[in-house]
Amino acid sequence: VSEQRSVARISVVIPVKDGERYLEELLDALSREDVAETLVIDSGSCDRSREIAHSAGVELLEIEPGEFGHGRTRNLGAERTSGDLICFLTQDATPVTGWIEAYRAAFALDPRVGAAYGPHLPRPDTSPMIARELTEFFATFGAEGPNADRAGAPVLQHPGDSTFLSNVNACYARACWKEIRFREVGYSEDQAFGVDLLQAGWLKVYQPGAGVLHAHDYGPVEFMRRYFDEYRGLHETTGHVEGFGVLSAARQVSGAVAGDRRWAAGQGLGVGDQARWVARSAVHHGGRRVFSALGSRAHRLPTPLRGALSLEGRDGRELASDTSDGGQVTPDGPDPGAALSLSAPPATDLAPVPPATHVAPRLTQDFYEDVGRVWREGPAPLLDPVPGMADRERLRLALVVPSFRRGSGGHNTLFQILSRLERRGHLCSVWLQDVTGQHNSEWPAVIRSDIREFFAPVEGPVYKGYDQWQGADIAIATGWQTVHPTLMLDQCRARAYVVNDHEPEFYAASTEREMAEDTYRHDLHCIAASPWLRDLLIDRYDTSADAFQLGVDHDLYHPRPVTRRQDTIIYYARHVTPRRAVPVGLMALAELHRRRPDLRIVLFGDEGHLDSPFPYEHLGILTPPQLATLYSEATVGLCLSLTNFSLMPKEMLACGLPCVELAGVSAESIFGADGPLELAELTPRAIADALERLLDDRELWERRSREGIEFVASHTWEHATDEVEAGLRHALREREQAVPTQP
Amino acid sequence: MAITKRSSSNSEDLHAENERLRARVAALEAELVETQARTNEIVAQAQERVYWLDRWHLDLNALMRRPGAAELRGALRAIRAASRMLTRAKRRLRP
């Protein structure tokens, strides 16, 4: 096979549009190589390109501009030629002497070689930035390690090696091209081929001897827009997203500028020229960092902005038909083609299947990989129980928490309790399961500081991920997304689950709903944030469960020295949380407004304004001290909970503010049917009636206010911590009972 | 009767062995708790100290592994040594 390949017939295909600048030089260079046939495919040139091709005596195929596509046209070229090897060049890539023989040598290395590519060499007038970049970029593919002494020798690339491939200068075995073919993608069909080729078991070769002169400069702005296009294409093809950080960008730019200066000095440029290139280099590399990052995020930009930033004016709506250059990571000109309109649909009733977009793998692991692992392999085994472990004074507790934001009520509950468990001598650590990825760029010390600032002053360490997992007496899951990762943690004596709400109810019929329900089926001892929730878990999932009562920070929430108004309803209208039943609440307030047009209505808890048929005052999201003041001056509070009750009614009551909540859900389990809360059915009229009762009946208002303060007085975080600690010890005790120990 | 005595003696031995092992487990557990307490404290203190490094994504170990870092550090040490020498010399020369 190697011998056959060393004498293989070679066809060269060159897509061209307005390429007169270098085409003559290119074809002249080819005439000195042992090429069996050369095919120029012109897609509507307006310059002398066709004439040059005719004069050179090569085959010319003319296609409509609308027919051009990077993958499509190259596939056409391969079909229209017959060589055993098919080389592709762009119209501005001039082969160096020995180009063809170098490719033949590359394919003779191994019968599994499906493609080879050579370096892009700078032309004499190329700027130092581009010249250095090209040289150093292609040097990375050269022989290294024990083969470093073979610099200049072809390098075989196997699966797992770089997938880089560039149709500026590449050669393909016909058998390989037939098997894989170029994808009809808007950009980077060569990169896609590189990925597909290695995945299919073929090899490729970097052949330093098969170089082409290929580099030309743009102005700084054109370069930036060019990078935008390139990285956009790279993202579309491989899913690559270019990272960007101010400090890292500054470091990279300064390093690149220093490299360019050294390069310019090495080329013998004078001090003045060097200074000029250093300035240009800073603009070039700075612009590149910004525009490459933007390009790989182009899908998130508004369409007009995308079009404006693209050198080729691509706004993303012409993916299948655009004719921009095959994307290369190295600088490259927009060779054949310009923006074109969509091809006319075929005159038939048959609806053609549109060109598919290849989606490359982007996740290092599946989003729900942990769930899949638990389903596949089961939880990690627990350690054998040690007699008396449930009664030990100091427990090793590992709290696994989901991503958080400032103001998260569930996290506040967890950390209020955790900080108190620490003060009782337990050894607590926090393990962040960054479900939403919002802490991607945060390192553990920053996350720990945020927890302390947003919620409570935890003293223990905070870890992100489980690389440093050390085991625990109890691993504690705290939200449905943390349960499956917690089940995979080993070296634990027991596992527990602090359940703040019945989370399956947060979702419509969905994967998430099923997975959330699954969390209650792994024998984790649940510690639920209300008796209602505890009973629900026991009844519906037959799980073992305890309950705790949410605490109130009485230092903050107590009647403040402000005048209590007699005309103000405040409503926790957090519309982004569907379980708050905001549409019903608004209807109730509309009803109340019809009855009492002078009533002052205040909405809070959400950033955005809500449309309503009544006027209201909007306060947005308030800090806890601001809330305490608001609760102390309002007349009646309204907070609706379709699942487990919110802490908010308790905090309102602590400030002496009577509050209306929904009847028949969870509130009765805390406050009783005729406790300090005024309960109402989930209808606008019933809620309006309840609000009006408190506005009209002064005696009722006084009683609710007094009883509320008395009721929540015992609802402290210390008490909540007592209950949670008892639940944790219960979890350990269950383990002891589950595994009988020898007397 | 002799058999009963032997059984009783075996049972006592077993009981004593159990007690010894339980005491050993308790001691090891206590040791584990102490180790964990120290680990938590050390990691938490380290996280307090490196807050700004983490905030700015600065990994000094990785930074010092980069080419030129050791040379830069050497140069800074040389400057510091020279500066100290000058300071000492100035002190000596003071009347």
Side-chain angles (χ1 to χ4, degrees):
Chain A
V1 173
S2 296
E3 277 179 23
Q4 285 169 6
R5 287 184 157 201
S6 65
V7 294
R9 286 182 76 252
I10 295 187
S11 305
V12 179
V13 177
I14 311 162
V16 169
K17 183 169 184 186
D18 296 334
E20 68 177 5
R21 183 172 175 193
Y22 294 108
L23 190 57
E24 199 162 1
E25 174 189 293
L26 188 167
L27 295 175
D28 185 46
L30 277 184
S31 69
R32 293 191 291 275
E33 299 287 316
D34 179 19
V35 175
E37 61 180 333
T38 301
L39 172 65
V40 169
I41 305 178
D42 187 277
S43 53
S45 290
C46 301
D47 64 1
R48 294 176 47 251
S49 296
R50 281 173 287 192
E51 190 184 318
I52 292 169
H54 274 305
S55 304
V58 299
E59 188 182 349
L60 175 67
L61 173 65
E62 295 183 47
I63 61 172
E64 290 298 316
E67 292 173 15
F68 181 88
H70 285 292
R72 189 190 312 159
T73 303
R74 288 182 171 90
N75 283 332
L76 175 68
E79 286 161 6
R80 295 289 291 258
T81 53
S82 59
D84 307 307
L85 302 178
I86 315 154
C87 289
F88 290 96
L89 288 171
T90 50
Q91 63 194 15
D92 55 355
T94 309
V96 298
T97 305
W99 180 74
I100 283 290
E101 283 314 310
Y103 272 138
R104 283 207 175 96
F107 281 88
L109 284 177
D110 192 300
R112 293 169 296 164
V113 173
Y117 63 100
H120 309 173
L121 308 173
R123 294 179 187 278
D125 59 349
T126 303
S127 67
M129 296 94 70
I130 303 305
R132 182 176 76 84
E133 187 173 353
L134 282 174
T135 307
E136 291 180 356
F137 177 77
F138 282 98
T140 62
F141 299 121
E144 56 185 18
N147 299 320
D149 57 332
R150 296 177 59 233
V155 178
L156 265 176
Q157 293 174 330
H158 300 79
D161 291 338
S162 165
T163 57
F164 179 82
L165 195 57
S166 167
N167 273 342
V168 167
N169 171 29
C171 186
Y172 298 83
R174 183 166 291 279
C176 176
W177 165 77
K178 274 185 179 169
E179 180 182 326
I180 293 169
R181 296 177 66 92
F182 293 109
R183 294 188 212 156
E184 295 198 8
V185 289
Y187 223 77
S188 301
E189 82 295 340
D190 39 11
Q191 303 283 43
F193 198 102
V195 172
D196 296 344
L197 166 148
L198 292 177
Q199 278 178 356
W202 289 89
L203 307 181
K204 64 189 177 80
V205 172
Y206 169 63
Q207 172 54 290
V212 294
L213 295 174
H214 176 265
H216 42 95
D217 285 338
Y218 299 104
V221 175
E222 283 82 6
F223 254 131
M224 292 174 197
R225 298 175 70 197
R226 174 70 189 165
Y227 284 127
F228 179 86
D229 285 339
E230 281 184 3
Y231 278 82
R232 179 182 174 184
L234 201 59
H235 175 80
E236 286 167 358
T237 311
T238 68
H240 172 79
V241 177
E242 183 74 357
F244 186 84
V246 175
L247 279 177
S248 63
R251 278 197 298 271
Q252 286 167 359
V253 170
S254 66
V257 171
D260 287 345
R261 193 200 58 73
R262 281 195 298 274
W263 177 276
Q267 302 299 306
L269 293 183
V271 176
D273 283 341
Q274 280 185 43
R276 188 168 59 84
W277 280 118
V278 161
R280 172 78 188 276
S281 165
V283 173
H284 174 86
H285 291 293
R288 176 179 190 168
R289 295 296 316 149
V290 172
F291 277 66
S292 57
L294 279 173
S296 62
R297 293 167 179 79
H299 55 291
R300 296 192 202 163
L301 300 178
T303 305
L305 181 60
R306 274 203 304 264
L309 292 178
S310 166
L311 183 63
E312 295 158 10
R314 298 197 312 140
D315 65 9
R317 291 180 295 204
E318 67 291 270
L319 185 67
S321 65
D322 89 41
T323 61
S324 53
D325 185 25
Q328 294 83 34
V329 173
T330 51
D332 177 35
D335 301 311
L340 294 162
S341 59
L342 285 163
S343 306
T348 166
D349 291 339
L350 190 66
V353 177
T357 302
H358 176 76
V359 182
R362 292 174 61 181
L363 293 173
T364 51
Q365 64 165 27
D366 193 88
F367 190 66
Y368 293 128
E369 176 63 23
D370 290 319
V371 184
R373 275 188 67 196
V374 169
W375 286 351
R376 200 167 55 240
E377 301 165 17
L382 290 167
L383 293 176
D384 287 339
V386 174
M389 65 183 184
D391 300 315
R392 281 214 191 104
E393 193 180 332
R394 306 176 82 189
L395 298 174
R396 294 180 303 133
L397 306 175
L399 193 77
V400 182
V401 298
S403 319
F404 60 85
R405 292 181 195 280
R406 185 192 289 270
S408 159
H411 285 86
N412 185 53
T413 298
L414 295 170
F415 290 119
Q416 290 293 342
I417 290 169
L418 190 79
S419 64
R420 284 166 175 81
L421 286 170
E422 280 181 331
R423 278 178 239 156
R424 294 175 185 196
H426 298 297
L427 309 173
C428 302
S429 54
V430 176
W431 303 78
L432 177 68
Q433 176 71 26
D434 190 12
V435 182
T436 59
Q438 70 193 66
H439 303 282
N440 266 347
S441 63
E442 290 167 9
W443 291 9
V446 176
I447 295 167
R448 182 173 182 274
S449 172
D450 285 348
I451 289 171
R452 289 168 59 87
E453 184 189 337
F454 297 169
F455 307 113
V458 296
E459 295 295 338
V462 173
Y463 300 91
K464 186 177 170 184
Y466 307 98
D467 292 346
Q468 293 165 287
W469 176 247
Q470 303 139 14
D473 288 328
I474 312 178
I476 308 165
T478 60
W480 79 264
Q481 298 101 327
T482 67
V483 168
H484 297 93
T486 303
L487 287 167
M488 299 308 296
L489 296 174
D490 58 4
Q491 301 295 311
C492 303
R493 299 227 181 271
R495 298 190 185 98
Y497 185 3
V498 175
V499 185
N500 269 306
D501 212 330
H502 184 231
E503 293 178 293
E505 292 184 36
F506 294 3
Y507 302 97
S510 61
T511 301
E512 287 73 16
R513 184 185 178 97
E514 294 299 317
M515 287 180 175
E517 286 197 334
D518 183 69
T519 61
Y520 306 121
R521 297 184 182 124
H522 292 280
D523 292 333
L524 290 177
H525 180 70
C526 294
I527 305 169
S530 77
W532 171 84
L533 187 54
R534 175 197 58 203
D535 295 345
L536 182 151
L537 295 173
I538 292 172
D539 293 346
R540 197 173 299 182
Y541 303 99
D542 194 24
T543 184
S544 76
D546 291 313
F548 71 99
Q549 300 275 12
L550 296 178
V552 173
D553 183 350
H554 291 283
D555 291 339
L556 191 61
Y557 294 104
H558 57 266
R560 295 300 177 110
V562 290
T563 306
R564 176 79 68 186
R565 297 180 63 128
Q566 301 300 315
D567 63 343
T568 301
I569 300 283
I570 60 168
Y571 175 35
Y572 180 55
R574 188 164 173 77
H575 193 50
V576 293
T577 307
R579 60 183 179 279
R580 295 281 158 234
V582 171
V584 179
L586 292 177
M587 285 192 279
L589 291 175
E591 168 72 20
L592 194 61
H593 176 70
R594 273 194 294 276
R595 298 179 196 173
R596 309 167 81 105
D598 296 334
L599 193 68
R600 176 175 174 245
I601 297 173
V602 178
L603 270 52
F604 70 101
D606 214 335
E607 292 287 5
H609 295 190
L610 296 172
D611 294 333
S612 72
F614 57 87
Y616 68 88
E617 294 173 29
H618 176 76
L619 287 177
I621 295 175
L622 302 179
T623 63
Q626 290 170 332
L627 286 174
T629 307
L630 180 70
Y631 299 162
S632 298
E633 69 176 16
T635 321
V636 180
L638 175 61
C639 177
L640 306 177
S641 305
L642 288 173
T643 56
N644 200 27
F645 83 107
S646 161
L647 182 56
M648 196 157 287
K650 277 189 179 177
E651 291 169 343
M652 290 180 178
L653 294 179
C655 294
L657 177 67
C659 175
V660 173
E661 245 284 14
L662 287 183
V665 189
S666 57
E668 286 94 331
S669 79
I670 313 291
F671 304 96
D674 189 27
L677 284 184
E678 189 72 21
L679 299 177
E681 298 297 323
L682 182 65
T683 66
R685 176 170 291 189
I687 295 168
D689 289 348
L691 291 168
E692 202 163 31
R693 277 198 299 277
L694 286 167
L695 289 169
D696 288 341
D697 187 340
R698 190 66 200 164
E699 192 182 323
L700 177 68
W701 189 96
E702 295 282 357
R703 183 165 68 84
R704 295 279 190 226
S705 176
R706 190 179 59 252
E707 287 178 355
I709 292 172
E710 289 167 4
F711 183 86
V712 299
S714 63
H715 291 232
T716 63
W717 285 117
E718 282 301 330
H719 184 65
T721 307
D722 288 342
E723 292 175 313
V724 171
E725 184 178 3
L728 294 172
R729 292 189 186 282
H730 189 175
L732 283 170
R733 208 160 283 123
E734 279 186 347
R735 280 287 298 150
E736 285 186 53
Q737 288 161 359
V739 183
T741 51
Q742 297 298 316
Chain B
M1 190 67 183
I3 293 167
T4 312
K5 267 185 181 172
R6 202 159 41 240
S7 297
S8 167
S9 167
N10 281 348
S11 168
E12 281 168 16
D13 287 350
L14 202 60
H15 184 72
E17 178 67 4
N18 269 346
E19 286 306 306
R20 194 184 65 74
L21 288 173
R22 279 183 181 159
R24 178 69 182 141
V25 168
L28 287 172
E29 286 285 319
E31 199 177 306
L32 178 64
V33 166
E34 284 311 314
T35 307
Q36 181 79 67
R38 280 199 300 277
T39 306
N40 279 8
E41 195 179 333
I42 289 166
V43 176
Q45 279 175 0
Q47 290 186 336
E48 288 280 336
R49 275 200 303 272
V50 304
Y51 172 78
W52 285 106
L53 294 176
D54 272 19
R55 182 74 184 262
W56 288 341
H57 294 177
L58 284 175
D59 180 345
L60 290 181
N61 289 330
L63 204 64
M64 292 308 293
R65 280 196 295 270
R66 294 180 63 162
E71 289 77 2
L72 177 66
R73 182 165 169 261
L76 290 173
R77 286 164 70 100
I79 292 167
R80 188 181 63 180
S83 147
R84 284 179 180 170
M85 230 162 63
L86 276 172
T87 311
R88 275 200 299 272
K90 265 167 62 182
R91 275 200 204 120
R92 278 196 209 113
L93 290 173
R94 255 186 221 145

